[in-house]
Amino acid sequence: MESDYVIVGAGSAGCAVAYRLAEAGQSVLVIEHGGTDAGPFIQMPAALSYPMNMKRYDWGYRSEPEPHLGGRRLACPRGKVIGGSSSINGMVYVRGHAHDFDHWAETGADGWSYADVLPYFKRMEAWDDGGHGGDPDWRGTQGPLHVKRGPRDNPLNTAFVEAGRQAGYEVTDDYNGKKQEGFAPFDQTIHKGRRWSTANAYLKPALKRPNCDLIRGLVERVEITDGRATGVVLAGGQVVRARREVILAASSINSPKILMLSGIGPAAHLAEHGIKVVADRPGVGANLQDHLEMYIQMASKLPVTLYKHWNIVSKAMIGAQWLFTGTGLGASNQFESCAFIRSKAGVPYPDIQYHFMPIAVRYDGTAAAEGHGFQAHVGPMRSPSRGAVTLRSADPADDPVIRFNYMSTEQDWEDYRRCIRLTREIFAQEAFAPYVKHEIVPGAEMQSDADLDAVIREHAESAYHPCGTCRMGRSDDKGAVVDPEGRVIGVEALRVVDSSVFPRITNGNLNAPSIMTGEKMSDHILGRDPLARSNDEPWIHPDWETSQR
């Protein structure tokens, strides 16, 4: 039980690191607490609501009662399976905006500007436009991660983009290319009708090499000797040795938990739990961020929505078609149109995201009582609210304490009300006239600020994008946990390489930037020169200072 590198967590970043280290000839041992991803619940894209609600595949975390959301405890699914959260997520592929990464670099993550990270996005992608357009000069075609677009056969998907155009917004052919801002087709991590998780893209090919192995186990802590990480201790006491480095990629919830159990974190908090302090890093577990979103649901006049398949017979037929041919409605996540817009003049790049779905249904699979309907998931991208992950006890079997502290500033409420009102305006456009019957949620009677606040308090849910709890920064930054090469400040031979290290949350879904982080960190681990910086200049709205659209 020894290798050059021990990677904790076979998720979005961990699988990418394992692949690149094994490819370079290093011996790699990946430790994953969850099990196999075999079976239709994970592999069939349209079944996405199942794995994130199954204890077999999900850690089952919940937030503490959120004081600004009526004391609700919100679900915080994290993948407990090979592929991690890329095996239970919505398969939406969003790189993030160029300015997100420039902000990282400006705040201390040297070498992580957009010019630095774009080559890694290209390296990891196998982009297939399928004849549906796109921005080929900005995309990669030879990487392990297959990215494509859905068929967009449902007329509501094109109605959503057309309504955006009618409302005066930009339309973009590729939000992952030069121009994020606008209404667009959505990208999916789906290949040949299957979920293309990092288990499929990276881990399984890596495991075919003789120098990469996977073991199942719960990592309780990192073993640190004389200030150097030498291995990890599994539940039951078994020690797995790392000759060169221990690499944490256990999620933005579990990576800080493992660090704290290992004596790396806020000294006073560790002392409360009787844990000997190895490195006093107050930033461990702090800076927790997420995207909070709501469904704006409309009842449909016409029976064109996916609700016609919301019965056992139709679901069985869709499942059978997918099982035998890998095609049909089962081969898409049904997120096929989207938008990134700015909330007001003076905002330089999009701060609102839309996921559109041609059915009115919750993430838990509950369809709207109205029957036929459709919805847009909407939420602000850059909330100023910050939360924390802390220890519940010194027992590794205990779940950590997760406090997001959602909606803790007045700006959050202003931004969210604006999201709802802008969405209503989009659904009021001529493109939706044949379809809109009435508003289900929030309901047309909910108009005042107080009304909307009540709706937000009751209905807002996590978009499942936690990050930031082991923030990357310069070595002299007391709030930083890792340096720009992922090395834990104050401990040798220990890195964190997952979405924990994000200084600030990126625009959109986090799977793509998490994988990119693993790709780039693998070059740092191997001591390689980074890929050459890109000279590509992203599109910014020329009138952003004076115009909202």
Side-chain angles (χ1 to χ4, degrees):
M1 300 299 288
E2 181 175 288
S3 66
D4 292 338
Y5 295 94
V6 173
I7 299 173
V8 180
S12 295
C15 290
V17 173
Y19 178 96
R20 295 301 179 189
L21 296 186
E23 178 186 60
Q26 305 297 317
S27 72
V28 181
L29 192 60
V30 183
I31 306 173
E32 170 57 47
H33 185 44
T36 177
D37 65 344
F41 286 122
I42 280 182
Q43 299 300 335
M44 183 167 84
L48 64 91
S49 67
Y50 291 96
M52 72 170 63
N53 290 293
M54 295 173 71
K55 288 184 178 179
R56 176 180 175 185
Y57 301 127
D58 172 30
W59 284 85
Y61 291 142
R62 298 177 70 80
S63 76
E64 296 301 293
E66 288 290 337
H68 309 288
L69 293 176
R72 287 191 294 135
R73 298 186 70 195
L74 272 59
C76 180
R78 293 293 86 196
K80 188 178 67 176
V81 57
I82 60 167
S85 295
S86 76
S87 288
I88 68 168
N89 70 358
M91 291 154 282
V92 168
Y93 184 81
V94 182
R95 287 173 169 178
H97 195 279
H99 280 6
D100 292 327
F101 302 103
D102 291 343
H103 180 269
W104 287 13
E106 289 161 8
T107 53
D110 300 323
W112 288 83
S113 71
Y114 189 62
D116 297 305
V117 303
L118 180 56
Y120 287 95
F121 280 118
K122 290 182 177 181
R123 183 171 86 175
M124 74 197 216
E125 286 178 358
W127 162 246
D128 174 14
D129 70 2
H132 299 303
D135 202 344
D137 292 342
W138 288 67
R139 308 304 290 256
T141 58
Q142 304 300 312
L145 190 76
H146 286 279
V147 180
K148 63 183 283 292
R149 289 183 173 168
R152 304 181 80 228
D153 294 332
N154 191 293
L156 289 163
N157 283 307
T158 48
F160 182 69
V161 175
E162 178 58 17
R165 188 191 67 76
Q166 290 172 352
Y169 292 102
E170 297 289 323
V171 172
T172 177
D173 195 35
D174 190 352
Y175 65 86
N176 279 317
K178 183 182 180 72
K179 180 181 179 181
Q180 185 190 69
E181 185 168 337
F183 283 66
F186 238 152
D187 287 355
Q188 311 171 333
T189 48
I190 295 171
H191 181 51
K192 295 182 177 177
R194 293 172 63 210
R195 173 192 291 274
W196 205 244
S197 65
T198 55
N200 287 329
Y202 287 95
L203 184 62
K204 291 171 187 177
L207 292 173
K208 291 178 181 175
R209 296 179 180 272
N211 56 329
C212 184
D213 287 302
L214 173 71
I215 63 169
R216 190 169 180 180
L218 175 66
V219 171
E220 293 192 340
R221 61 182 172 85
V222 179
E223 189 171 72
I224 298 168
T225 307
D226 297 328
R228 181 182 178 86
T230 56
V232 298
V233 180
L234 304 183
Q238 184 177 16
V239 178
V240 180
R241 302 281 178 203
R243 288 187 290 267
R244 300 191 69 172
E245 290 187 11
V246 173
I247 299 163
L248 295 186
S251 83
S252 57
I253 307 301
N254 285 326
S255 288
K257 175 188 171 183
I258 292 169
L259 286 179
M260 287 185 279
L261 289 171
S262 309
I264 303 161
H269 179 59
L270 301 184
E272 285 173 20
H273 296 291
I275 297 170
K276 182 183 175 185
V277 178
V278 173
D280 180 10
R281 301 306 308 176
V284 174
N287 194 45
L288 175 62
Q289 299 160 67
D290 191 15
H291 289 139
L292 199 66
E293 67 178 14
M294 244 189 78
Y295 317 93
I296 310 299
Q297 296 183 328
M298 313 298 286
S300 179
K301 290 179 190 172
L302 300 178
V304 296
T305 78
L306 296 178
Y307 184 73
K308 58 177 173 271
H309 301 294
W310 211 253
N311 59 78
I312 191 135
V313 174
S314 194
K315 285 182 179 181
M317 291 177 66
I318 289 168
Q321 181 185 7
W322 177 83
L323 203 57
F324 292 111
T325 69
T327 63
L329 285 172
S332 173
N333 57 7
Q334 308 310 326
F335 290 116
E336 296 181 2
S337 288
C338 68
F340 293 89
I341 65 171
R342 291 175 298 109
S343 61
K344 58 185 177 182
V347 175
Y349 69 104
D351 59 343
I352 295 173
Q353 180 188 16
Y354 287 104
H355 301 64
F356 179 77
M357 278 195 94
I359 184 170
V361 64
R362 294 175 59 89
Y363 265 151
D364 63 9
T366 307
E370 302 275 350
H372 278 286
F374 46 91
Q375 67 191 29
H377 304 203
V378 63
M381 290 290 94
R382 295 186 289 282
S383 166
S385 291
R386 295 291 182 270
V389 173
T390 54
L391 294 178
R392 196 171 298 278
S393 76
D395 183 351
D398 280 352
D399 287 354
V401 175
I402 304 168
R403 288 192 178 89
F404 285 100
N405 202 28
Y406 295 117
M407 307 298 291
S408 62
T409 75
E410 181 53 36
Q411 183 188 322
D412 287 307
W413 295 95
E414 291 171 5
D415 290 348
Y416 226 118
R417 291 179 212 124
R418 196 172 290 116
C419 284
I420 295 171
R421 288 171 172 141
L422 291 173
T423 308
R424 284 173 160 167
E425 184 189 9
I426 291 160
F427 281 141
Q429 298 301 312
E430 186 62 28
F432 275 115
Y435 307 111
V436 169
K437 187 176 177 184
H438 60 261
E439 184 175 295
I440 304 171
V441 177
E445 72 282 2
M446 307 300 279
Q447 293 293 334
S448 70
D449 285 0
D451 288 340
L452 296 186
D453 289 352
V455 169
I456 294 161
R457 207 171 282 114
E458 180 181 356
H459 290 285
E461 294 286 349
S462 170
Y464 311 144
H465 300 161
C467 64
T469 50
C470 299
R471 179 172 66 80
M472 184 163 45
R474 299 186 182 100
S475 298
D476 60 357
D477 179 348
K478 290 184 179 179
V481 177
V482 302
D483 72 9
E485 295 193 3
R487 296 173 295 206
V488 175
I489 300 165
V491 181
E492 291 182 38
L494 178 61
R495 295 192 205 233
V496 183
V497 300
D498 58 21
S499 63
S500 307
V501 307
F502 293 8
R504 189 173 72 180
I505 197 165
T506 55
N507 262 16
N509 312 64
L510 298 193
N511 191 42
S514 298
I515 299 169
M516 178 280 294
T517 299
E519 283 271 8
K520 189 170 186 300
M521 288 296 191
S522 69
D523 276 0
H524 294 309
I525 293 163
L526 291 166
R528 292 177 170 168
D529 290 336
L531 297 179
R533 287 166 55 90
S534 168
N535 292 319
D536 294 321
E537 285 291 329
W539 185 91
I540 300 296
H541 198 294
D543 301 322
W544 69 265
E545 290 175 291
T546 56
S547 175
Q548 184 256 332
R549 64 189 86 170

